């Protein structure tokens, strides 16, 4: 259910008519992530494709971070990127932390990061 954190950014992108590439990319990632979770994250094509899509969303976020329109947004974007990577690495290093931390580091924080991009950034590809 923690995929709900991604919904506000998609809605804001559509409402603003801006950063529509974020709305498209994030929508694909959410669908693949939900399917992968329902598949119990078993290794296979779905898992690989979902992982690539999620990493693409992260790279997009980093690209938007480099284009931050203000120092405050740069700080916000860097904090979100750092928390996402930090929690992801923690989960890899200590697999028992996957369940309690996955939703925070890979759903909530990226969802809030995307919302900031949706509200305050412009599209990379115009």
């Amino acid at each position: 259910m923690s995929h709900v954190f991604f919904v506000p950014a998609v809605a804001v992108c559509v409402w603003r008519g801006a950063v529509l590439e974020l709305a498209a990319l994030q929508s694909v990632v959410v669908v693949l992530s939900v399917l992968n979770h329902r598949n119990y994250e078993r290794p296979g094509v779905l898992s690989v494709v979902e992982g690539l899509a999620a990493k693409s969303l992260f790279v997009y976020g980093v690209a938007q971070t480099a284009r931050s329109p203000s120092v405050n947004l740069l700080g916000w974007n860097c904090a979100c990127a750092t928390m996402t990577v930090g929690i992801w690495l923690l989960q890899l290093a200590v697999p028992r932390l996957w369940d309690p931390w996955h939703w925070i580091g890979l759903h909530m924080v990226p969802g809030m990061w995307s919302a900031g991009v949706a509200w305050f950034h412009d599209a990379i590809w115009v």
Side-chain angles (χ1 to χ4, degrees), residues 17-107:
V19 260
L20 295 176
E21 73 269 12
L22 171 59
L25 178 58
Q26 192 160 273
S27 296
V28 168
V29 169
V30 168
V31 168
L32 290 172
S33 182
V34 168
L35 291 173
N36 193 39
H37 283 294
R38 288 184 178 228
N39 194 40
Y40 303 102
E41 299 178 2
R42 287 183 280 231
V45 173
L46 175 59
S47 180
V48 170
V49 171
E50 186 271 338
L52 289 171
K55 288 168 185 70
S56 296
L57 180 60
F58 179 82
V59 169
Y60 177 84
V62 169
Q64 281 286 17
T65 296
R67 299 166 42 91
S68 295
S70 72
V71 173
N72 288 340
L73 285 170
L74 177 62
W76 169 257
N77 290 331
C78 286
C80 289
T82 301
M83 288 173 44
T84 299
V85 168
I87 292 171
W88 180 69
L89 290 173
L90 178 67
Q91 294 171 138
L92 290 177
V94 187
R96 66 182 165 77
L97 296 179
W98 183 264
D99 283 336
W101 284 92
H102 178 87
W103 74 273
I104 297 168
L106 300 179
H107 294 193

Side-chain angles (χ1 to χ4, degrees), residues 6-27 60 114-115 117-121 123:
F6 291 104
V7 174
V10 173
V12 170
C13 288
V14 173
W15 176 73
R16 282 188 62 218
V19 260
L20 295 176
E21 73 269 12
L22 171 59
L25 178 58
Q26 192 160 273
S27 296
Y60 177 84
S114 294
V117 170
W119 272 110
F120 302 109
H121 287 246

